[in-house]
Amino acid sequence: MIIRKPINLELTQLSGQTSQPPWINVGDSFREVLMVNEKPVLFDVKQSGDYLDFNFTGDISKKEAIHSLNYIYDLDFDLNKFYNYLSNQAELEEMSEFCKGLRLFLANDPFECIISSICSANNSIKRWTKSIRDMKEKWGNNYFDYYYTFPDKSIIQDIYEDDNEELLFGDKPCGNNLKSCGVGYRAPYIKKASHIFTLEMDLSEISKMDYEEAFETILKVPGVGPKVADCILLYGFNFKEAFPSDVWIKRIVSHLYFDGKDINVSKVRDFGMDEFGDYAGYVQLYLFHYARMSGLMSKLK
């Protein structure tokens, strides 16, 4: 079954967005199990020309499957309109050539995005995605033999942080704790986030907030600074006005808009949100990959 909306599936999957790890690559397909209306569904998606070809296994309708994929791959976003916008900006006009078909890869599970984003801070894509995969295999639910959902927040809040805690209080061998998944110093942050969203905050309320309220709410979670908060809101809740900013985005924006001057990350974030408006999240995504794929990033090191 084909959804006739343009996408570069591989680029989108492997772009490092902190909504989730890439789906499992099997031949020319990407596969993952998702909970759709509380039912496990195994999706198999692949590239077909410029479009997404998919099959699914699970007790849902084709309409529900298409709705889920439309959301996760942001297929209702008008890429051609966005490319027209880029072509009218001197600093951005080349980006669509290097990133054609790149879309947001949105979270089916916002809580997974929160933990993924916390794990991504000061970390490589390879390491944080492995950590999330390990957490899924240790404590998630197994469906269709080899596919796991991300564990519920109420489960993670009761997991031991490290070997020492497990030895002191546990009755299982070492290796069944958060640090065994390679999360390092982030383990207490993950535990606290799980506690907060189990007992103190309702995740479903965040999408009902305006951006600034949602941003300030997410910042209350230990281990979440401005960049991680923006990632959570962009990839986990589809707030497209977010402009996640780190040292690399600072260097790129400084090069393109401020003659290479050293400006702080906070100013870059404000500039991106003001300058690009509802396109801010997409521009940030394209800026990073344009810089990486065009060779600009190597020049800015």
Side-chain angles (χ1 to χ4, degrees), residues 9-10 13 23-25 28-32 43-45:
L9 180 61
E10 183 175 31
Q13 280 278 347
W23 290 7
I24 297 170
N25 188 203
D28 62 351
S29 297
F30 290 92
R31 296 177 185 171
E32 189 59 278
F43 284 93
D44 181 300
V45 297

Side-chain angles (χ1 to χ4, degrees), residues 63-301:
K63 182 178 179 181
E64 289 173 309
I66 291 172
H67 178 78
S68 293
L69 293 176
N70 273 337
Y71 178 77
I72 290 166
Y73 292 107
D74 203 29
L75 294 174
D76 290 330
F77 179 76
D78 191 336
L79 278 182
N80 288 328
K81 184 177 179 181
F82 177 55
Y83 294 159
N84 286 336
Y85 168 80
L86 295 179
S87 68
N88 288 315
Q89 309 289 321
E91 298 85 358
L92 309 177
E93 59 184 348
E94 291 186 340
M95 292 201 312
S96 59
E97 296 178 23
F98 288 89
C99 308
K100 187 176 181 181
L102 175 60
R103 289 184 179 273
L104 287 180
F105 186 31
L106 297 170
N108 186 63
D109 178 356
F111 181 67
E112 180 178 4
C113 177
I114 290 170
I115 304 304
S116 294
S117 298
I118 289 172
C119 287
S120 74
N122 302 310
N123 209 353
S124 69
I125 294 172
K126 183 178 180 179
R127 288 183 65 186
W128 76 254
T129 55
K130 184 179 186 304
S131 291
I132 299 301
R133 282 276 171 215
D134 287 349
M135 293 171 70
K136 292 171 77 165
E137 291 180 11
K138 284 178 182 287
W139 304 298
N141 291 322
N142 176 220
Y143 297 103
F144 307 102
D145 294 330
Y146 302 109
Y147 302 90
Y148 297 82
T149 56
F150 193 74
D152 187 81
K153 50 192 176 295
S154 62
I155 292 175
I156 293 183
Q157 73 165 349
D158 293 328
I159 294 170
Y160 299 116
E161 285 186 21
D162 54 28
D163 286 348
N164 290 334
E165 190 173 271
E166 190 178 352
L167 281 170
L168 283 172
F169 303 109
D171 55 2
K172 296 180 179 179
C174 291
N176 198 49
N177 58 73
L178 287 170
K179 284 194 176 180
S180 72
C181 297
V183 302
Y185 70 87
R186 305 163 191 85
Y189 299 150
I190 293 169
K191 288 266 290 185
K192 185 60 178 175
S194 305
H195 176 84
I196 287 172
F197 290 110
T198 300
L199 299 175
E200 299 175 19
M201 288 188 197
D202 185 347
L203 269 177
S204 65
E205 292 299 312
I206 293 174
S207 59
K208 302 173 186 176
M209 300 175 182
D210 63 32
Y211 186 80
E212 288 305 322
E213 182 183 4
F215 181 74
E216 293 301 325
T217 299
I218 292 293
L219 277 181
K220 295 175 183 176
V221 179
V224 174
K227 194 252 181 168
V228 169
D230 281 329
C231 285
I232 290 169
L233 294 179
L234 177 59
Y235 304 126
F237 295 92
N238 199 17
F239 280 92
K240 288 187 172 70
E241 61 267 52
F243 193 76
S245 300
D246 59 10
V247 64
W248 282 111
I249 293 298
K250 181 185 85 164
R251 290 173 182 172
I252 297 163
V253 169
S254 173
H255 173 78
L256 294 176
Y257 289 94
F258 294 94
D259 297 321
K261 295 177 182 176
D262 187 19
I263 53 178
N264 64 49
V265 170
S266 177
K267 182 176 180 180
V268 168
R269 176 181 181 266
D270 292 341
F271 169 81
M273 294 183 72
D274 291 342
E275 179 75 10
F276 308 123
D278 290 339
Y279 282 144
Y282 261 93
V283 170
Q284 189 271 0
L285 180 62
Y286 272 58
L287 277 173
F288 180 81
H289 288 281
Y290 163 72
R292 182 172 63 86
M293 298 169 75
S294 68
L296 175 59
M297 192 172 285
S298 297
K299 297 177 183 177
L300 297 177
K301 286 183 179 179

